[in-house]
PDB file of all heavy atoms in Angstrom:
ATOM      1  N   ALA A 384       3.571  14.005 -25.428  1.00 98.00           N
ATOM      2  CA  ALA A 384       3.408  14.026 -23.968  1.00 98.00           C
ATOM      3  C   ALA A 384       4.465  14.881 -23.296  1.00 98.00           C
ATOM      4  O   ALA A 384       4.281  15.326 -22.165  1.00 98.00           O
ATOM      5  CB  ALA A 384       3.484  12.601 -23.438  1.00 98.00           C
ATOM      6  N   GLN A 385       5.596  15.101 -23.964  1.00 98.00           N
ATOM      7  CA  GLN A 385       6.715  15.806 -23.339  1.00 98.00           C
ATOM      8  C   GLN A 385       6.852  17.245 -23.827  1.00 98.00           C
ATOM      9  O   GLN A 385       7.788  17.941 -23.426  1.00 98.00           O
ATOM     10  CB  GLN A 385       8.025  15.034 -23.604  1.00 98.00           C
ATOM     11  CG  GLN A 385       8.038  13.632 -23.070  1.00 98.00           C
ATOM     12  CD  GLN A 385       7.767  13.558 -21.573  1.00 98.00           C
ATOM     13  OE1 GLN A 385       7.786  14.581 -20.881  1.00 98.00           O
ATOM     14  NE2 GLN A 385       7.466  12.392 -21.074  1.00 98.00           N
ATOM     15  N   ALA A 386       5.918  17.688 -24.686  1.00 98.00           N
ATOM     16  CA  ALA A 386       6.008  19.038 -25.232  1.00 98.00           C
ATOM     17  C   ALA A 386       5.405  20.017 -24.236  1.00 98.00           C
ATOM     18  O   ALA A 386       4.248  19.902 -23.876  1.00 98.00           O
ATOM     19  CB  ALA A 386       5.252  19.111 -26.555  1.00 98.00           C
ATOM     20  N   ARG A 387       6.193  20.972 -23.783  1.00 97.00           N
ATOM     21  CA  ARG A 387       5.711  21.934 -22.791  1.00 97.00           C
ATOM     22  C   ARG A 387       5.012  23.107 -23.483  1.00 97.00           C
ATOM     23  O   ARG A 387       5.326  23.426 -24.637  1.00 97.00           O
ATOM     24  CB  ARG A 387       6.880  22.515 -22.004  1.00 97.00           C
ATOM     25  CG  ARG A 387       7.718  21.452 -21.324  1.00 97.00           C
ATOM     26  CD  ARG A 387       8.796  22.074 -20.526  1.00 97.00           C
ATOM     27  NE  ARG A 387       8.348  22.304 -19.183  1.00 97.00           N
ATOM     28  CZ  ARG A 387       9.170  22.420 -18.143  1.00 97.00           C
ATOM     29  NH1 ARG A 387      10.462  22.383 -18.322  1.00 97.00           N
ATOM     30  NH2 ARG A 387       8.694  22.632 -16.942  1.00 97.00           N
ATOM     31  N   PRO A 388       4.066  23.775 -22.779  1.00 96.00           N
ATOM     32  CA  PRO A 388       3.484  24.996 -23.338  1.00 96.00           C
ATOM     33  C   PRO A 388       4.594  25.945 -23.747  1.00 96.00           C
ATOM     34  O   PRO A 388       5.547  26.142 -23.002  1.00 96.00           O
ATOM     35  CB  PRO A 388       2.658  25.547 -22.189  1.00 96.00           C
ATOM     36  CG  PRO A 388       2.317  24.363 -21.366  1.00 96.00           C
ATOM     37  CD  PRO A 388       3.480  23.408 -21.476  1.00 96.00           C
ATOM     38  N   GLY A 389       4.489  26.502 -24.936  1.00 97.00           N
ATOM     39  CA  GLY A 389       5.533  27.406 -25.453  1.00 97.00           C
ATOM     40  C   GLY A 389       6.525  26.710 -26.341  1.00 97.00           C
ATOM     41  O   GLY A 389       7.246  27.369 -27.109  1.00 97.00           O
ATOM     42  N   ALA A 390       6.632  25.383 -26.262  1.00 98.00           N
ATOM     43  CA  ALA A 390       7.571  24.653 -27.114  1.00 98.00           C
ATOM     44  C   ALA A 390       7.232  24.868 -28.584  1.00 98.00           C
ATOM     45  O   ALA A 390       6.050  24.935 -28.939  1.00 98.00           O
ATOM     46  CB  ALA A 390       7.554  23.166 -26.786  1.00 98.00           C
ATOM     47  N   ALA A 391       8.250  24.962 -29.420  1.00 98.00           N
ATOM     48  CA  ALA A 391       8.040  25.160 -30.866  1.00 98.00           C
ATOM     49  C   ALA A 391       8.246  23.843 -31.552  1.00 98.00           C
ATOM     50  O   ALA A 391       9.358  23.318 -31.577  1.00 98.00           O
ATOM     51  CB  ALA A 391       9.032  26.199 -31.387  1.00 98.00           C
ATOM     52  N   LEU A 392       7.163  23.271 -32.081  1.00 98.00           N
ATOM     53  CA  LEU A 392       7.230  21.973 -32.755  1.00 98.00           C
ATOM     54  C   LEU A 392       7.360  22.153 -34.241  1.00 98.00           C
ATOM     55  O   LEU A 392       6.926  23.153 -34.799  1.00 98.00           O
ATOM     56  CB  LEU A 392       5.946  21.167 -32.446  1.00 98.00           C
ATOM     57  CG  LEU A 392       5.631  20.934 -30.973  1.00 98.00           C
ATOM     58  CD1 LEU A 392       4.308  20.167 -30.834  1.00 98.00           C
ATOM     59  CD2 LEU A 392       6.745  20.173 -30.283  1.00 98.00           C
ATOM     60  N   ARG A 393       7.971  21.170 -34.874  1.00 98.00           N
ATOM     61  CA  ARG A 393       8.049  21.148 -36.340  1.00 98.00           C
ATOM     62  C   ARG A 393       7.640  19.784 -36.826  1.00 98.00           C
ATOM     63  O   ARG A 393       8.012  18.771 -36.234  1.00 98.00           O
ATOM     64  CB  ARG A 393       9.505  21.343 -36.787  1.00 98.00           C
ATOM     65  CG  ARG A 393      10.063  22.706 -36.669  1.00 98.00           C
ATOM     66  CD  ARG A 393       9.653  23.574 -37.852  1.00 98.00           C
ATOM     67  NE  ARG A 393      10.233  24.882 -37.697  1.00 98.00           N
ATOM     68  CZ  ARG A 393      11.251  25.331 -38.442  1.00 98.00           C
ATOM     69  NH1 ARG A 393      11.781  24.588 -39.387  1.00 98.00           N
ATOM     70  NH2 ARG A 393      11.730  26.546 -38.239  1.00 98.00           N
ATOM     71  N   PHE A 394       6.890  19.761 -37.927  1.00 98.00           N
ATOM     72  CA  PHE A 394       6.533  18.498 -38.537  1.00 98.00           C
ATOM     73  C   PHE A 394       7.562  18.135 -39.584  1.00 98.00           C
ATOM     74  O   PHE A 394       8.018  18.984 -40.352  1.00 98.00           O
ATOM     75  CB  PHE A 394       5.128  18.579 -39.125  1.00 98.00           C
ATOM     76  CG  PHE A 394       4.086  18.771 -38.089  1.00 98.00           C
ATOM     77  CD1 PHE A 394       3.427  19.987 -37.967  1.00 98.00           C
ATOM     78  CD2 PHE A 394       3.766  17.759 -37.197  1.00 98.00           C
ATOM     79  CE1 PHE A 394       2.471  20.189 -36.983  1.00 98.00           C
ATOM     80  CE2 PHE A 394       2.804  17.924 -36.212  1.00 98.00           C
ATOM     81  CZ  PHE A 394       2.168  19.157 -36.104  1.00 98.00           C
ATOM     82  N   GLN A 395       7.923  16.873 -39.639  1.00 98.00           N
ATOM     83  CA  GLN A 395       8.929  16.386 -40.561  1.00 98.00           C
ATOM     84  C   GLN A 395       8.301  15.324 -41.436  1.00 98.00           C
ATOM     85  O   GLN A 395       7.765  14.331 -40.916  1.00 98.00           O
ATOM     86  CB  GLN A 395      10.054  15.791 -39.719  1.00 98.00           C
ATOM     87  CG  GLN A 395      11.334  15.576 -40.467  1.00 98.00           C
ATOM     88  CD  GLN A 395      12.382  15.002 -39.519  1.00 98.00           C
ATOM     89  OE1 GLN A 395      12.517  15.456 -38.377  1.00 98.00           O
ATOM     90  NE2 GLN A 395      13.113  14.027 -39.972  1.00 98.00           N
ATOM     91  N   ARG A 396       8.343  15.523 -42.738  1.00 98.00           N
ATOM     92  CA  ARG A 396       7.677  14.592 -43.645  1.00 98.00           C
ATOM     93  C   ARG A 396       8.343  13.218 -43.603  1.00 98.00           C
ATOM     94  O   ARG A 396       9.562  13.094 -43.736  1.00 98.00           O
ATOM     95  CB  ARG A 396       7.695  15.128 -45.062  1.00 98.00           C
ATOM     96  CG  ARG A 396       6.962  14.214 -46.022  1.00 98.00           C
ATOM     97  CD  ARG A 396       6.099  14.967 -46.962  1.00 98.00           C
ATOM     98  NE  ARG A 396       5.209  14.050 -47.688  1.00 98.00           N
ATOM     99  CZ  ARG A 396       4.424  14.411 -48.666  1.00 98.00           C
ATOM    100  NH1 ARG A 396       4.388  15.672 -49.064  1.00 98.00           N
ATOM    101  NH2 ARG A 396       3.651  13.523 -49.261  1.00 98.00           N
ATOM    102  N   CYS A 397       7.502  12.200 -43.417  1.00 98.00           N
ATOM    103  CA  CYS A 397       7.998  10.830 -43.277  1.00 98.00           C
ATOM    104  C   CYS A 397       7.357   9.994 -44.386  1.00 98.00           C
ATOM    105  O   CYS A 397       6.556  10.523 -45.172  1.00 98.00           O
ATOM    106  CB  CYS A 397       7.589  10.322 -41.887  1.00 98.00           C
ATOM    107  SG  CYS A 397       8.393   8.813 -41.353  1.00 98.00           S
ATOM    108  N   THR A 398       7.702   8.729 -44.456  1.00 98.00           N
ATOM    109  CA  THR A 398       7.044   7.826 -45.400  1.00 98.00           C
ATOM    110  C   THR A 398       6.429   6.672 -44.612  1.00 98.00           C
ATOM    111  O   THR A 398       6.873   6.385 -43.494  1.00 98.00           O
ATOM    112  CB  THR A 398       8.051   7.224 -46.408  1.00 98.00           C
ATOM    113  OG1 THR A 398       8.979   6.405 -45.697  1.00 98.00           O
ATOM    114  CG2 THR A 398       8.796   8.305 -47.164  1.00 98.00           C
TER     115      THR A 398
END
Side-chain angles (χ1 to χ4, degrees):
Chain A
Q385 300 303 348
R387 304 182 91 157
L392 303 178
R393 285 278 181 108
F394 295 108
Q395 195 178 317
R396 182 137 191 187
C397 193
T398 65

